[in-house]
Amino acid sequence: MDPLSALQKFREYFERYVPLTDEEWQALSHYLTVDTLKKKKFYVEAGKVCDHIGLVVKGAVRYYHVKDGEEITGYFSFEDEMLSSYKSFLTRTPAANYIQALEDSVIVNLSHKGLQQACMNELLGFKMERFGRLTAEHYLICYEERITAFITQSPEERYSDLLQTGGEALYRIPQHYIANYLGITPVSLSRIRRRIMKISA
Amino acid sequence: MDPLSALQKFREYFERYVPLTDEEWQALSHYLTVDTLKKKKFYVEAGKVCDHIGLVVKGAVRYYHVKDGEEITGYFSFEDEMLSSYKSFLTRTPAANYIQALEDSVIVNLSHKGLQQACMNELLGFKMERFGRLTAEHYLICYEERITAFITQSPEERYSDLLQTGGEALYRIPQHYIANYLGITPVSLSRIRRRIMKISA
DNA sequence: TCAAAACGTTAACAAAAGATAACGAATTTC
DNA sequence: GAAATTCGTTATCTTTTGTTAACGTTTTGA
């Protein structure tokens, strides 16, 4: 993936929230970098401050925590999704989680400093602020729904729903990561799968 | 609680995120209403669009879903916290949940239309946008942490943590609501409480 | 004020999930 | 291309949770 079409993808993503003039885009793109992240490499590591926010233009990453020496995967970002350890990025405190590339990936990054400068930019400030609000709102809604699922649904229901809504991206993820995502063990997910198989068979 | 000091509380809350001149506050307060919500009355009902966002100035509310005829409590807002059925408010779609007063409450409200007007207001627009972003980010972080707890912790750990961080507000809430909040049944929470009692005794 | 409803706990049993280990298959790595 | 690792499933056993029902207590509301 060449840098120019990567940047173009970022522009398309941004303009889904806030339209830009060519001049504004010119100014904004100044603050962006196009980076590659090889499989298994880290976008963020626990204990370090996450200094950027990015858009996955190609590839996929997983978010995970380490508890009692075990990795627990909590989330994924695929093409056309933002990624960051949001709390760390927003509050400038050390991240509690790792973000690691599941595949060779291409990411368009905006550093914390770059974002600050873009927000102070006469031309861009208002639109950056608006983009930030809409992005935060978007994830707020996603998280709200996920919490609701934890409270109102059984693991089996959560998995069934995920199968319906998850799309093909699901098949790129190892089962035991999905189990973590659902809040259960891999062994338990395997049993749920067998139960569902029998019903639908 | 008189309306003026209720509004003053809203200003203080707002200025924790974005400072205002007296003139700006004058303009903003124009869009606000001070409402009372008697115990058991609804701030929002499932199926209806949530048309406002508010600040709890006095009292407390609970958020709940109804599934298979059962109420499942997912969240609470106490004094000095915002409340809204965010997804419904932001996307103008019917709410999936109820919000009900746990106590007689006083709420400073901003309607969707009021917010829009405030955002278009020459004087206020930028600051409203910024307040919206910071508020969304605040809840984003809260939700992120709650999801992490579901994934990485047992119900017992979640309850222990809640006891430490929850403060006195916890004692105003019936146990079975807390059980729902933790994603378990009231019976299960009762057992967890007994286990913890025995350990600390 | 008094009956009704709501609440928290406990018991008994069923169902589900966690922990651990084993196994072959697939994938990775050198 | 061979050895090592990872992965998904299954089995066994233990622990936890869910379900239902009962009970005394507190709170609510007419």
Side-chain angles (χ1 to χ4, degrees):
Chain A
M1 158 128 349
D2 65 295
L4 273 181
S5 51
L7 285 172
Q8 184 54 31
K9 286 224 174 198
F10 186 95
R11 180 171 181 177
E12 283 163 23
Y13 183 88
F14 193 100
E15 292 205 290
R16 256 179 257 162
Y17 293 101
V18 189
L20 294 169
T21 65
D22 284 347
E23 191 189 5
E24 287 164 346
W25 166 245
Q26 195 61 27
L28 170 53
S29 62
H30 203 259
Y31 301 110
L32 303 174
T33 59
V34 178
D35 302 313
T36 61
L37 195 67
K38 287 279 179 194
K39 184 171 180 174
K40 302 227 170 167
K41 293 289 181 187
F42 292 101
Y43 185 77
V44 188
E45 289 180 77
K48 300 182 181 175
V49 174
C50 181
D51 197 45
H52 29 65
I53 191 166
L55 177 74
V56 179
V57 159
K58 178 172 164 294
V61 302
R62 75 174 176 119
Y63 299 57
Y64 70 89
H65 291 255
V66 174
K67 191 194 180 193
D68 305 329
E70 294 268 303
E71 294 181 4
I72 300 174
T73 299
Y75 200 62
F76 311 91
S77 291
F78 297 94
E79 285 93 357
D80 251 7
E81 285 185 81
M82 298 294 293
L83 89 158
S84 187
S85 194
Y86 299 106
K87 183 185 180 185
S88 174
F89 179 78
L90 296 171
T91 65
R92 312 290 287 161
T93 55
N97 63 306
Y98 296 82
I99 302 181
Q100 187 188 42
L102 283 167
E103 312 165 355
D104 289 355
S105 303
V106 178
I107 294 164
V108 177
N109 276 309
L110 176 58
S111 72
H112 193 270
K113 201 165 91 184
L115 177 58
Q116 277 194 321
Q117 289 177 353
C119 282
M120 312 244 276
N121 182 312
E122 189 75 21
L123 197 62
L124 280 175
F126 189 79
K127 294 203 170 177
M128 292 306 292
E129 201 66 56
R130 170 167 275 249
F131 176 77
R133 174 175 68 83
L134 293 169
T135 299
E137 286 176 359
H138 171 77
Y139 284 100
L140 184 70
I141 289 170
C142 292
Y143 286 7
E144 189 172 88
E145 289 177 342
R146 188 147 171 228
I147 290 171
T148 299
F150 274 115
I151 289 170
T152 63
Q153 296 186 303
S154 67
E156 187 159 336
E157 289 171 312
R158 292 204 292 278
Y159 181 62
S160 294
D161 283 8
L162 184 63
L163 282 183
Q164 295 191 335
T165 63
E168 50 80 47
L170 269 187
Y171 302 103
R172 288 155 63 183
I173 306 173
Q175 294 295 343
H176 63 286
Y177 292 164
I178 294 176
N180 290 164
Y181 174 83
L182 295 170
I184 59 179
T185 61
V187 177
S188 194
L189 176 57
S190 187
R191 286 190 284 237
I192 286 170
R193 284 161 59 81
R194 185 165 44 143
R195 263 182 267 156
I196 290 176
M197 287 290 217
K198 281 189 180 168
I199 292 166
S200 56
Chain B
M1 157 133 342
D2 66 295
L4 272 180
S5 51
L7 284 173
Q8 182 55 32
K9 286 222 173 197
F10 186 95
R11 180 172 181 175
E12 283 164 21
Y13 182 88
F14 193 100
E15 293 205 289
R16 257 179 256 161
Y17 293 101
V18 188
L20 294 169
T21 65
D22 284 347
E23 190 189 8
E24 287 164 345
W25 166 244
Q26 194 62 27
L28 170 54
S29 62
H30 203 259
Y31 301 109
L32 303 173
T33 59
V34 178
D35 302 312
T36 61
L37 194 68
K38 287 279 179 193
K39 183 172 180 174
K40 300 227 171 168
K41 293 288 181 189
F42 292 101
Y43 185 75
V44 188
E45 290 180 76
K48 299 181 182 176
V49 173
C50 181
D51 199 45
H52 29 64
I53 190 165
L55 178 74
V56 179
V57 159
K58 177 171 164 294
V61 301
R62 75 174 174 118
Y63 300 56
Y64 70 89
H65 290 255
V66 174
K67 191 195 178 191
D68 305 330
E70 294 267 303
E71 293 180 5
I72 300 174
T73 298
Y75 200 64
F76 311 91
S77 291
F78 297 95
E79 285 93 356
D80 251 9
E81 285 185 80
M82 299 294 293
L83 89 157
S84 187
S85 194
Y86 299 106
K87 185 187 179 185
S88 174
F89 179 78
L90 296 171
T91 64
R92 312 290 286 160
T93 54
N97 62 306
Y98 297 82
I99 302 180
Q100 186 187 42
L102 283 168
E103 312 165 356
D104 289 354
S105 303
V106 178
I107 294 164
V108 177
N109 276 310
L110 175 58
S111 71
H112 192 271
K113 201 165 90 183
L115 177 57
Q116 276 192 321
Q117 288 176 355
C119 282
M120 312 241 278
N121 182 311
E122 189 75 21
L123 198 62
L124 279 174
F126 188 81
K127 293 203 172 176
M128 291 306 291
E129 201 67 55
R130 170 166 274 250
F131 176 77
R133 174 176 69 83
L134 292 168
T135 299
E137 285 176 0
H138 171 77
Y139 284 99
L140 184 71
I141 288 170
C142 291
Y143 285 7
E144 188 172 271
E145 288 177 342
R146 186 143 171 234
I147 290 171
T148 299
F150 274 114
I151 289 171
T152 63
Q153 296 187 303
S154 68
E156 186 159 336
E157 288 172 314
R158 292 203 294 278
Y159 181 62
S160 294
D161 283 8
L162 184 64
L163 282 182
Q164 295 192 334
T165 63
E168 51 79 49
L170 268 188
Y171 302 102
R172 290 154 63 183
I173 305 173
Q175 293 296 340
H176 64 287
Y177 293 164
I178 294 176
N180 291 164
Y181 174 83
L182 295 170
I184 59 179
T185 61
V187 177
S188 192
L189 177 58
S190 186
R191 286 189 285 235
I192 287 170
R193 282 160 60 81
R194 184 167 44 146
R195 262 181 269 155
I196 290 177
M197 288 287 217
K198 282 190 178 166
I199 291 167
S200 57

